[in-house]
Amino acid sequence: MILPSVDRFLQRAGTRISQSLVALVDLAVRRAVWMLVAIALATLLALVYAVGHFSIDTDTSHALSHDLPFQQREIAYQKVFPQDKNTIVVVLQGAGRDRTDTAVDRLSTWLRARPQSFHDVYVPGGGSFFQRNGLLYLSPKKLQDFANRIIVAQPLIAKLSADPSLDGLSGLLSMAIGQRLTNGVHLPGLTAIFSALDQALVAQMQGKSYDVPWSELMGGDLAKMGPAQRFIIIQPALNYQSLEPAAAAIRTLRAGLTALNLNAAHGVDIGVTGGAVLDAEQLKTVSQGAAVSMALTLSLEIILLIIALRSLRLVSGVLIGLIAGMILTAAWALFFIGPFNLISVAFAILFIGLGVDFGIQFCLRYREEVFNGAPHRQAMQRVTHGLGGALSLAAVSAAFSFYAFVPTSYAGIVDLGLISGTSMLVALFMTLTFLPAFLTLWPMVSTSTKATYYPHMHHIPTLVHHPIHRYAYYILGAVTLLALASVPLALRTSFDFNPLHMIDSHAEGVRVFEKLLADPQTAPYRIDVLTPDIAAAQALATRAEQLPTVAHALTVSSYIPKHQAEKLTILQNLQILVPPFSLLMPSSLQPPTSDTSTNLADLVIKLRDLAQKEGESTPDGRVAAALAGHLEQFLAKDGTDRKAIEDLQTRVMGTLPGELQRLGMALSAAPVTLQTLPKSLRDRYVAASGQARVEIIPKANLSKNRVMTTFVQSVLKVEPNAVGTPVMLVQGGEAVLGAFQEATFIALIAISLLLLLALRSYRDVLLIMIPLLLAALFTVAAMRLFGLSFNLGNIIVLPLLIGLGVAFAIYIVVRWRNGVDVAHLLGTSTPMAVFFSGLTTLSAFGSMAVSRDPGMASLGEALSLALAIVLLCILIVLPALLLLFTQSPREEGIAQDEGS
């Protein structure tokens, strides 16, 4: 119970506030023209300032406070090794390794020539070092197997390296067939060459892409010793003043891919992903979805306002005030806070949702007064006296629900809290100044409308034909049972901290990222640890590899091959048979000669002879006959076409020079030490200060949050200073969830205290808070029931639920306190204003639910569900609760209500 002295003080303060509100509205009525001019001038200045200074900070690293421990570790790590932040990753895979390597070389050269768009270009496993020393990374057994295959193929390699042309190949095959027919001598790999040549001919005649895989045909098969995919990691130039910071760099990259003909049509599959690309794709779908949602929202808002207010002047006043208030709030935010961030721009949604509520409440109450015959000025005074306190209390309570985010560690939401909280006060100011002034210049008089009992109520059976007071105890009993059943569901709700799940799954960046994520060797989600030196890094890597969740851990020492002496001996013995210098030939082919067609015709004759001798039922005879037939068709059609013969030579021999050079380089391996490693590789693992990096690779696919959490927790037990994307996601998600829980608790406490000071009654505070808490419980349970998870986008549903729920409940309870019994309360404009306010806001949120952006859609779904539940609790549960404190309906109660 509040002390009598405190109660008297609060009552006097409330009276003074009420008088001030009446005086403010009366001033707007008496000086309507000056008030509108002042507001119009302020709005115009605010618009000019907002347009000139509008910007969005799209750096997602600013979303969480830098004072958080994991943020401090990440910042310290990024200062030493900044190479993996906001990168573009290009994934290339050609029809063969040679084509893939050629594509990588061409694209990386093109990118490095444009440093203004691409600050750094790194090719893992690329460059002359790995071409020369790549074989040393094989096990001794696999290296010996490779050497044995090269020894078998040595005659073929020697002849091809002597004359790598279509003429040379046709002569070699004709000679080999002749030796086989006369002496029975078999050239190793001859049948495979026939088959590859036949495929090249068929592809040529069908206009398809195909390159003869000389790496396989020569026996070494270097292509299969490396990864099928190659990567180029790019650090793009970012413009954080743009909505899409990496957009310009991504456009330049795609233009380069087009100019270089790097696409599936030319035999190279290209995928583009990486942090910068994923951010760009999310921002693109968000902006597109926001445009559609905004258009749909405005259309629905106007339609619902027309239905609710049934007056052009009232609809115009609410909409103009709403737009002006949004402009004023945006200018205030840009001046006092600075650029918006990706979270704080959502204030517009919250402002529409709650700002329109104040306008609807005011206009419907004003309309009710005019219907009851009050002159304009008197109607305004009665509206302010009866509703001004409730509006102010609702606005301040909603502001508190947003200001509760300011003390939290979620930096992105702190700005949203400040801006949205202030916007509630702006909306209140506009409702109490602009709307009265606007309606004074364009007033509604009692003769202009039918003076009837509030007309809309007859269209809502739940509120009229089935009065709540008849079923109150049944309602409260059912709600109690429903609340008990909701508790287990609410306790099982989940929080999805992975922003990847908020991006369109059909976007290229997401599809490529998820494919990489499925393979531990290419998984982008890795944990990094900064250690004092290389020795400490190696010791940590050894400990980490003992964890069941870790596939392996990499340090700079991981790139120094083991058993080098044994491997170098194998290669030195191989060099005796295949001297490397004999393979390091020019990389370009010589044009076909005038005798090429003749040589190919001779080859057809030899192939026919071989097929006849071997029989077409044998594999050799069948392949020889097919090749002879296709070669004959080609010569008949294009035998005199020099361009066609050049194209055929490119298909057949195009990859040979590169494969011979690659083999020559691979046979020239030298001992590898820390000093001989490429600088670009060393710099990614060892800093100039001597600090060393450990890269920990997961064993499982981290696409599921539970698996990622297990991986992160297991590594943190071994090394608490670990950083990296998985750590940021898991611990950042915990920080975000904690921030919202903290903010919700602060908001509930602050609003409860505010209501207690304003209403001076524990009972009335409970009447407002119980439906609110029930709505929160039912919302969380319903999300679990419908398979919806809280995520980084829709978690703001909780503060909005508090803000709207408190506002709606205040309107009902305050009018009840003014003397209107529950039996008559639902026949006044107050519940109808709540209903249409909720419906208007629901239309705004529902429009987001149809967005193609998953994050915005999930926000729309969660907010729509929450708002629907809030409306049910306020319009059904709250009146039922009020009956517990109403002895019997009193007709005279309505007369005591100011403004009835």
Side-chain angles (χ1 to χ4, degrees):
M1 180 135 183
I2 296 178
L3 294 175
S5 57
V6 175
D7 183 71
R8 286 192 299 272
F9 171 78
L10 293 175
Q11 188 172 11
R12 287 195 300 270
T15 301
R16 282 194 290 268
I17 292 174
S18 179
Q19 291 171 348
S20 300
L21 294 175
V22 172
L24 177 62
V25 173
D26 194 53
L27 175 65
V29 172
R30 288 185 293 103
R31 299 287 186 267
V33 174
W34 289 107
M35 181 66 73
L36 289 180
V37 169
I39 292 175
L41 182 61
T43 304
L44 181 62
L45 292 175
L47 179 63
V48 172
Y49 182 85
V51 170
H53 294 80
F54 184 83
S55 63
I56 298 178
D57 180 6
T58 50
D59 189 346
T60 54
S61 66
H62 297 162
L64 289 170
S65 170
H66 288 177
D67 295 330
L68 293 169
F70 69 91
Q71 279 279 71
Q72 292 180 337
R73 299 198 307 268
E74 184 69 28
I75 292 170
Y77 172 81
Q78 292 291 346
K79 287 181 180 179
V80 182
F81 296 109
Q83 67 270 4
D84 293 327
K85 184 179 180 182
N86 296 321
T87 57
I88 298 174
V89 179
V90 183
V91 186
L92 304 96
Q93 184 169 1
R97 175 62 183 269
D98 186 70
R99 178 166 290 191
T100 304
D101 291 345
T102 301
V104 169
D105 292 341
R106 292 175 62 207
L107 181 57
S108 59
T109 301
W110 190 91
L111 294 169
R112 290 188 178 108
R114 291 159 177 79
Q116 71 279 6
S117 298
F118 312 105
H119 296 326
D120 182 67
V121 179
Y122 175 67
V123 182
S128 60
F129 172 84
F130 286 102
Q131 289 180 0
R132 186 177 301 275
N133 300 297
L135 291 175
L136 295 179
Y137 292 93
L138 298 176
S139 66
K141 182 180 183 305
K142 287 186 177 181
L143 182 57
Q144 186 61 62
D145 292 341
F146 166 82
N148 293 339
R149 292 195 300 272
I150 293 295
I151 291 171
V152 172
Q154 189 275 334
L156 175 64
I157 294 172
K159 293 183 182 300
L160 288 173
S161 61
D163 186 4
S165 66
L166 196 55
D167 284 312
L169 178 63
S170 59
L172 170 62
L173 296 179
S174 295
M175 181 187 68
I177 294 172
Q179 290 180 349
R180 184 166 179 174
L181 292 174
T182 57
N183 304 323
V185 177
H186 291 255
L187 180 67
L190 187 63
T191 303
I193 296 175
F194 287 162
S195 179
L197 181 56
D198 184 52
Q199 292 182 61
L201 277 165
V202 172
Q204 171 93 355
M205 291 186 287
Q206 294 179 352
K208 296 181 179 179
S209 175
Y210 178 78
D211 292 326
V212 171
W214 285 109
S215 177
E216 298 178 18
L217 297 176
M218 291 188 302
D221 205 4
L222 288 172
K224 292 186 178 179
M225 295 182 185
Q229 296 176 323
R230 294 289 306 278
F231 303 90
I232 300 178
I233 301 174
I234 307 165
Q235 276 196 324
L238 300 174
N239 176 18
Y240 285 116
Q241 299 306 308
S242 168
L243 183 60
E244 300 178 35
I250 294 172
R251 283 195 300 269
T252 303
L253 169 63
R254 296 198 182 279
L257 293 171
T258 301
L260 297 173
N261 291 323
L262 296 178
N263 49 48
H266 292 84
V268 182
D269 291 326
I270 300 291
V272 181
T273 188
V277 175
L278 293 174
D279 287 345
E281 288 179 340
Q282 182 176 29
L283 292 168
K284 181 179 179 180
T285 55
V286 166
S287 59
Q288 291 174 344
V292 174
S293 297
M294 185 62 71
L296 185 59
T297 295
L298 289 176
S299 301
L300 292 174
E301 292 258 330
I302 292 172
I303 292 172
L304 288 171
L305 283 173
I306 292 173
I307 295 173
L309 303 179
R310 295 191 175 187
S311 167
L312 179 61
R313 58 174 63 83
L314 296 180
V315 172
S316 301
V318 171
L319 287 178
I320 295 172
L322 199 64
I323 294 171
M326 194 178 300
I327 293 172
L328 291 169
T329 303
W332 177 89
L334 291 168
F335 183 81
F336 286 100
I337 298 176
F340 290 98
N341 59 49
L342 294 173
I343 300 173
S344 64
V345 292
F347 95 90
I349 299 172
L350 304 179
F351 184 84
I352 291 174
L354 284 164
V356 76
D357 167 60
F358 300 155
I360 290 176
Q361 291 286 342
F362 190 94
C363 287
L364 284 183
R365 191 68 172 267
Y366 169 71
R367 181 187 175 94
E368 182 181 332
E369 298 301 338
V370 173
F371 282 173
N372 289 333
H376 171 72
R377 186 174 178 182
Q378 183 183 1
M380 284 293 176
Q381 291 174 346
R382 295 177 69 178
V383 168
T384 310
H385 189 80
L387 185 65
L391 278 177
S392 302
L393 186 57
V396 175
S397 297
F400 274 22
S401 71
F402 294 118
Y403 286 145
F405 284 108
V406 176
T408 70
S409 58
Y410 195 0
I413 211 73
V414 168
D415 288 356
L416 176 64
L418 285 170
I419 298 170
S420 296
T422 303
S423 74
M424 295 299 97
L425 304 181
V426 172
L428 175 66
F429 177 79
M430 295 298 291
T431 301
L432 297 178
T433 55
F434 171 80
L435 263 182
F438 180 86
L439 293 175
T440 298
L441 297 184
W442 193 5
M444 175 181 286
V445 294
S446 59
T447 57
S448 66
T449 27
K450 262 172 93 176
T452 61
Y453 188 68
Y454 201 77
H456 298 329
M457 297 306 301
H458 299 289
H459 302 296
I460 303 180
T462 303
L463 302 182
V464 175
H465 299 308
H466 303 286
I468 298 297
H469 67 275
R470 294 183 184 176
Y471 311 103
Y473 292 101
Y474 295 105
I475 291 172
L476 294 178
V479 167
T480 301
L481 294 176
L482 190 60
L484 293 174
S486 297
V487 172
L489 284 172
L491 293 176
R492 292 167 52 201
T493 191
S494 60
F495 176 65
D496 185 356
F497 54 76
N498 195 337
L500 186 66
H501 301 157
M502 296 172 59
I503 309 176
D504 183 6
S505 60
H506 298 98
E508 179 190 8
V510 176
R511 287 188 286 105
V512 175
F513 193 92
E514 288 180 340
K515 286 182 181 178
L516 297 178
L517 201 58
D519 183 359
Q521 298 300 320
T522 60
Y525 285 154
R526 302 182 177 192
I527 288 179
D528 298 297
V529 181
L530 189 63
T531 62
D533 50 43
I534 295 175
Q538 191 57 44
L540 175 58
T542 302
R543 295 198 306 273
E545 287 182 337
Q546 305 303 313
L547 296 173
T549 58
V550 174
H552 51 275
L554 297 177
T555 68
V556 70
S557 302
S558 303
Y559 292 91
I560 300 176
K562 299 177 181 178
H563 312 294
Q564 291 192 55
E566 181 182 355
K567 297 173 185 178
L568 288 170
T569 300
I570 295 172
L571 291 177
Q572 289 166 3
N573 293 335
L574 185 57
Q575 290 172 10
I576 298 173
L577 289 175
V578 187
F581 66 85
S582 67
L583 305 176
L584 301 177
M585 51 177 289
S587 59
S588 60
L589 295 172
Q590 296 300 316
T593 66
S594 57
D595 296 330
T596 302
S597 295
T598 303
N599 293 333
L600 291 175
D602 292 340
L603 178 58
V604 171
I605 297 172
K606 294 287 187 182
L607 288 167
R608 295 289 188 196
D609 293 341
L610 179 62
Q612 184 176 5
K613 180 180 179 181
E614 296 291 335
E616 294 190 19
S617 61
T618 65
D620 290 351
R622 187 163 49 251
V623 173
L627 176 57
H630 290 136
L631 192 53
E632 197 167 38
Q633 290 178 30
F634 171 78
L635 291 172
K637 181 182 178 182
D638 299 317
T640 59
D641 187 343
R642 184 175 181 81
K643 176 68 168 59
I645 294 176
E646 288 181 354
D647 288 345
L648 180 61
Q649 175 170 276
T650 301
R651 291 174 182 274
V652 176
M653 309 300 293
T655 64
L656 179 60
E659 288 298 335
L660 291 172
Q661 284 196 333
R662 188 174 292 109
L663 178 59
M665 289 278 287
L667 297 181
S668 305
V672 175
T673 64
L674 186 61
Q675 289 68 35
T676 61
L677 288 175
K679 184 178 183 301
S680 60
L681 175 61
R682 281 201 317 272
D683 290 348
R684 299 181 79 83
Y685 287 93
V686 183
S689 62
Q691 291 175 288
R693 168 195 178 204
V694 180
E695 188 177 16
I696 302 174
I697 300 168
K699 184 176 294 183
N701 185 339
L702 299 189
S703 59
K704 294 184 178 178
N705 292 343
R706 177 179 50 80
V707 178
M708 185 186 296
T709 301
T710 301
F711 172 60
V712 169
Q713 290 174 346
S714 66
V715 173
L716 288 175
K717 287 180 181 179
V718 174
E719 181 46 64
N721 292 321
V723 298
T725 301
V727 177
M728 289 285 290
L729 292 180
V730 172
Q731 295 197 326
E734 292 173 354
V736 169
L737 188 58
F740 274 91
Q741 291 172 340
E742 178 186 355
T744 301
F745 179 76
I746 292 173
L748 290 174
I749 296 298
I751 290 172
S752 298
L753 291 175
L754 175 66
L755 293 175
L756 184 60
L757 292 175
L759 302 179
R760 311 185 314 280
S761 168
Y762 293 109
R763 179 201 65 183
D764 294 351
V765 172
L766 283 175
L767 285 173
I768 291 174
M769 298 305 292
I770 288 175
L772 181 62
L773 295 175
L774 285 172
L777 173 63
F778 292 153
T779 297
V780 175
M783 288 185 66
R784 176 65 184 179
L785 187 64
F786 295 137
L788 299 176
S789 298
F790 283 103
N791 57 43
L792 296 172
N794 66 21
I795 199 168
I796 66 171
V797 67
L798 296 177
L800 184 61
L801 183 149
I802 293 173
L804 275 173
V806 166
F808 291 165
I810 286 172
Y811 302 140
I812 300 290
V813 171
V814 168
R815 192 141 199 196
W816 174 73
R817 280 164 55 95
N818 285 339
V820 181
D821 287 299
V822 177
H824 306 99
L825 179 62
L826 297 179
T828 67
S829 63
T830 300
M832 182 53 57
V834 168
F835 175 77
F836 274 105
S837 293
L839 201 60
T840 313
T841 308
L842 188 61
S843 70
F845 300 152
S847 67
M848 291 192 297
V850 301
S851 171
R852 61 186 292 260
D853 177 68
M856 183 174 289
S858 70
L859 175 60
E861 291 167 355
L863 288 175
S864 299
L865 180 63
L867 187 55
I869 292 174
V870 166
L871 281 175
L872 290 173
C873 288
I874 297 302
L875 294 178
I876 296 178
V877 178
L878 179 57
L881 283 171
L882 292 177
L883 281 169
L884 296 179
F885 304 97
T886 302
Q887 305 216 347
S888 63
R890 292 174 297 139
E891 292 290 342
E892 65 272 15
I894 296 179
Q896 298 177 20
D897 176 33
E898 291 290 343
S900 294

